[in-house]
Amino acid sequence: MAPHEDRISNLPDTVLHQILSLLDSQEAVWTCVLSKRWVNLWPFIHSLDLSLPDFKKINTQSPNFERSFMRFVDILLSKREPSLHLHAFRLFCEEDNFTVNHQKIKAWILYAVRHNAKVIEVSACLFRKLPKDIFTCASLQELILDISGLGKGLGKGLGKGVIAGGVNLPRLKKLHLCGIMSWNRNILRRLLSGCPVLEDLNLNVCSIDMRVISSPQLKYLTIFSGLDKARIEAIRAPNLISLCLELSGDVLCAANFDEMPFLVDASIIVHDGTGFDENCNILTSFPNVKNLKLRGSVMKDLLSVELPKCPTFSNLTDLHISEQCMCFSSNLVSGMLYNSPNLENLRLYRNRRYLCYQCQGDDMDDV
């Protein structure tokens, strides 16, 4: 090899396109100054990573970085090879006092949709209206929308988009929503019914009707309500293998979950304001769980309702539980231990600290 040979530049175009697609889009464009070999490579990148905060850090001398960012994105999309499909489109516009140009953001998202993007991730504070085409993008496999702080605007925009155009996402496997607000009671049902192969659903501080969550192929479900009145009555996901619920408010008082025979990991965290009645059926729905976390200020109430009808957790090896349950009634913890004959690790959670016990056979009775 020659002393100054540029081995990277000698790589095939397809490999260099892959490398550029791993960079921030502005950095990918900047590679054109390296040599003539790189001048015409960046228009063929198959993933776009557009971040306003990163753009601001790089362009510290720009008098109006917001305008410069929007101009950069417009030029990038216009110069990119038009016949090339897009793998991933990620847009991050979370910036204090950022003046949102709704039409431009909508146009950028439409560009991703029309270039058959497989992944679309948008984090744009105060963005008000999603293009309805995003809900009928046949190529889409992952959709992540973080539009927190939006208030009533998205409720109107999302509702109209779903209702007017319907939902048809035949390849979507991952759907993460944060800050979504809608007063249309059919929003979640329509979303799920239009995603027949959905495997991963994450709802983070979403003010939408979550009373019934039904998705036959779902494997991973995470819900952080953070809101009162986000009531959950039923979860129908027979293929679920991971469930994480962190809830507050009147959300689970009559919850009746269908059996989840494949569920391995479950985390249930319930805070003040959550109530339960005798019809509650949560813990009994996953008899084969292996790792179980039960935490929150009112977990004792859930256990009081559920323990008398709980099955034997024969596969349970790792149990995390609020120490508050033992403080109020040691019978609650004892009852869980009695129903967990193969338990190996018991962790009592107290003030953000774990007290860990190793449980082996009959030793469990002494914990």
Side-chain angles (χ1 to χ4, degrees), residues 200-215:
D200 184 348
L201 176 63
N202 187 308
L203 302 174
N204 189 359
V205 195
C206 290
S207 182
I208 58 179
D209 189 340
M210 294 187 285
R211 287 182 300 170
V212 178
I213 298 174
S214 180
S215 183

Side-chain angles (χ1 to χ4, degrees), residues 183-199:
W183 285 265
N184 186 296
R185 294 179 62 178
N186 294 321
I187 290 298
L188 185 59
R189 180 181 63 81
R190 287 182 178 240
L191 281 171
L192 296 181
S193 64
C195 306
V197 298
L198 188 66
E199 296 181 354

Side-chain angles (χ1 to χ4, degrees), residues 138-210:
S139 62
L140 202 56
Q141 298 178 12
E142 297 184 15
L143 177 60
I144 302 173
L145 300 176
D146 182 353
I147 318 183
S148 54
L150 188 61
K152 296 182 179 180
L154 185 62
K156 183 177 179 181
L158 180 60
K160 282 188 174 180
V162 172
I163 294 172
V167 179
N168 184 23
L169 300 169
R171 294 182 176 85
L172 192 72
K173 293 187 176 182
K174 182 177 182 178
L175 177 62
H176 287 197
L177 303 176
C178 179
I180 302 297
M181 298 187 180
S182 177
W183 285 265
N184 186 296
R185 294 179 62 178
N186 294 321
I187 290 298
L188 185 59
R189 180 181 63 81
R190 287 182 178 240
L191 281 171
L192 296 181
S193 64
C195 306
V197 298
L198 188 66
E199 296 181 354
D200 184 348
L201 176 63
N202 187 308
L203 302 174
N204 189 359
V205 195
C206 290
S207 182
I208 58 179
D209 189 340
M210 294 187 285

Side-chain angles (χ1 to χ4, degrees), residues 21-33:
S21 292
L22 299 175
L23 300 176
D24 175 276
S25 293
Q26 186 178 15
E27 295 174 338
V29 172
W30 280 353
T31 60
C32 68
V33 303

